[in-house]
């Protein structure tokens, strides 16, 4: 299946692109899709959270064909 | 009503009277908190509790509107109450000079209609979210980092804060914060707090507005619930 991965905030600067369409196996999770493009969220200090089709979802949620996965940078200052 | 003449039209006279009866607790009196407190003061919220255990230092001067060269070393909470009293003496200000923690959180926010998260770290935010949930108080979240910011309303039970900060990687370095990002986000937090108190359906209930001021991207993520 194909999903579109969009990088937001600081992550875009870190990884050097806005978005890309990737082919991942059926049943892949958000984490697995990110891994497929070299984003290892657990080791990425700037990683914040993900959304799918503008709905907040968990990193281990399954993706579906045509989904838009957005990864946002961590924002915590005040 | 002279001082509120320019509010009327954006909100009604009745709304203005409602705000005068409301109580807001702002946790954090730094970059975000200073802006939130000033906006709520000028809008005429009846009681504002300001919470911060820290004092101003020189590194605050670039963005924290309550700081100045004369009050370095002074309590942020006490300075907030004192400065805002000079803007609007009709408002009751309560200054709490303790850092919020798991032991005092519920005591501090009890009785508030709305709590505003103007904190600077995920750990205390999680404590505040839990306290708000236990007391059934809505929480207006805001956070900033460089050109990026976010604001949203975490209703009790939504666990927005837990979802936001629960699965990230290791700790990042301290974020850089210019003057304009907290100015934007704190104004939005104040607006959302006002909407909540006036029961306006346009409020960002369980939604997060994510802002990138560098690339002009503004999008709303639905957290459900």
């Amino acid at each position: 299946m194909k999903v579109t991965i969009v990088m937001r905030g600081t992550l875009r600067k870190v990884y050097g692109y806005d978005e890309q369409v990737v082919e991942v196996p059926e049943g892949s999770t958000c984490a697995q899709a990110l891994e497929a493009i070299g984003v290892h969220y657990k080791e990425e200090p700037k990683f914040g959270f993900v959304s799918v089709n503008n709905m907040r979802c968990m990193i281990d949620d399954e993706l579906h064909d045509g989904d838009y996965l957005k990864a946002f940078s961590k924002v915590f200052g005040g | 009503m002279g001082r509120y003449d320019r509010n009327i039209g954006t909100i009604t006279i009745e709304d203005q009277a409602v705000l005068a009866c409301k109580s807001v607790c702002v946790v954090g009196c730094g970059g975000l908190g200073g802006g939130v407190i000033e906006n709520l003061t000028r809008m005429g919220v009846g009681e504002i509790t300001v919470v911060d255990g820290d004092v101003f230092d020189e590194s605050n001067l670039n963005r924290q509107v309550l700081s100045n060269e004369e009050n370095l070393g002074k309590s942020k909470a006490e300075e907030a109450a004192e400065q805002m009293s000079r803007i609007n003496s009709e408002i009751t200000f309560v200054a709490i000079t303790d850092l919020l923690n798991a032991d005092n959180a519920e005591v501090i926010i009890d009785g508030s209609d709305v709590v505003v998260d103007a904190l600077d770290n995920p750990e205390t935010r999680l404590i505040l979210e839990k306290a708000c949930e236990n007391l059934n108080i809505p929480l207006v979240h805001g956070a900033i980092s460089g050109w990026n910011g976010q604001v949203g309303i975490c209703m009790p039970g939504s666990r927005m804060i837990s979802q936001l900060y629960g699965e990230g990687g290791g700790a990042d370095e301290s974020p850089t914060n210019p003057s304009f990002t907290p100015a934007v986000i704190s104004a939005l937090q104040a607006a959302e707090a006002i909407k909540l108190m006036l029961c306006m359906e346009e409020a960002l209930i369980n939604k997060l507005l994510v802002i990138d001021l560098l690339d002009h991207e503004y999008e709303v993520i639905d957290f459900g619930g």
Side-chain angles (χ1 to χ4, degrees):
Chain A
M1 64 179 182
K2 287 182 178 177
V3 298
T4 303
I5 301 179
V6 182
M7 309 301 272
R8 285 288 189 247
T10 312
L11 291 177
R12 173 188 295 135
K13 316 300 180 205
V14 172
Y15 291 94
Y17 55 82
D18 280 352
E19 68 177 63
Q20 59 179 290
V21 178
V22 295
E23 186 97 32
V24 292
E26 290 286 335
S28 291
T29 65
C30 299
Q32 289 166 335
L34 289 171
E35 294 274 343
I37 60 167
V39 178
H40 308 289
Y41 80 95
K42 284 185 179 172
E43 297 154 20
E44 174 50 70
K46 296 190 183 305
F47 175 83
F49 67 98
V50 291
S51 72
V52 174
N53 305 328
N54 286 342
M55 296 283 293
R56 163 68 173 139
C57 69
M58 305 309 287
I59 194 76
D60 292 323
D61 285 353
E62 276 190 20
L63 292 166
H64 301 93
D65 189 45
D67 276 349
Y68 263 80
L69 168 63
K70 291 181 183 174
F72 293 87
S73 53
K74 184 186 292 182
V75 174
F76 64 88
Chain B
M1 188 174 277
R3 81 161 63 230
Y4 300 124
D5 281 353
R6 297 297 185 272
N7 287 354
I8 306 308
T10 301
I11 61 173
T12 66
I13 292 173
E14 292 76 18
D15 289 337
Q16 191 69 61
V18 169
L19 291 181
C21 299
K22 295 294 184 181
S23 174
V24 178
C25 179
V26 182
V27 185
C29 301
L32 290 175
V36 171
I37 293 162
E38 180 175 344
N39 275 290
L40 295 179
T41 296
R42 294 187 187 278
M43 283 299 295
V45 172
E47 179 176 295
I48 303 175
T49 299
V50 295
V51 185
D52 203 311
D54 203 0
V55 298
F56 287 115
D57 67 44
E58 193 174 8
S59 72
N60 302 148
L61 290 170
N62 79 318
R63 69 196 184 284
Q64 299 191 14
V65 294
L66 298 173
S67 66
N68 58 61
E69 293 181 357
E70 274 73 51
N71 68 9
L72 302 183
K74 293 186 177 175
S75 159
K76 293 184 178 183
E78 289 177 345
E79 278 292 304
E82 185 183 325
Q83 290 182 37
M84 293 304 109
S85 294
R86 281 187 252 132
I87 292 173
N88 194 337
S89 60
E90 296 175 354
I91 293 175
T92 301
F93 292 97
V94 179
I96 296 178
T97 58
D98 297 322
L99 290 171
L100 187 123
N101 58 49
D103 294 327
N104 64 17
E106 289 189 27
V107 174
I108 287 173
I109 68 171
D110 193 17
S112 301
D113 295 294
V114 173
V115 172
V116 177
D117 161 16
L119 290 158
D120 63 0
N121 68 87
E123 295 77 18
T124 313
R125 285 191 166 99
L126 292 169
I127 292 170
L128 185 59
E129 178 188 52
K130 186 177 180 187
C132 286
E133 186 166 313
N134 288 344
L135 296 179
N136 200 34
I137 302 172
L139 174 64
V140 180
H141 164 71
I144 52 173
S145 180
W147 298 91
N148 304 113
Q150 59 194 33
V151 57
I153 298 173
C154 173
M155 296 303 282
S158 75
R159 301 284 172 90
M160 178 191 285
I161 304 295
S162 301
Q163 293 185 61
L164 272 174
Y165 297 108
E167 53 188 27
D172 199 359
E173 69 273 14
S174 292
T176 62
N177 289 315
S179 62
F180 42 80
T181 313
V184 170
I185 298 301
S186 64
L188 289 169
Q189 284 184 281
E192 293 306 309
I194 295 294
K195 290 183 205 171
L196 262 178
M197 288 184 279
L198 299 180
C199 301
M200 298 171 76
E201 62 185 22
E202 296 88 349
L204 284 167
I205 303 287
N206 296 336
K207 292 176 181 169
L208 188 73
L209 171 59
V210 182
I211 295 177
D212 181 338
L213 292 170
L214 183 61
D215 294 313
H216 294 293
E217 289 174 344
Y218 308 82
E219 55 190 313
V220 175
I221 307 301
D222 193 334
F223 275 64

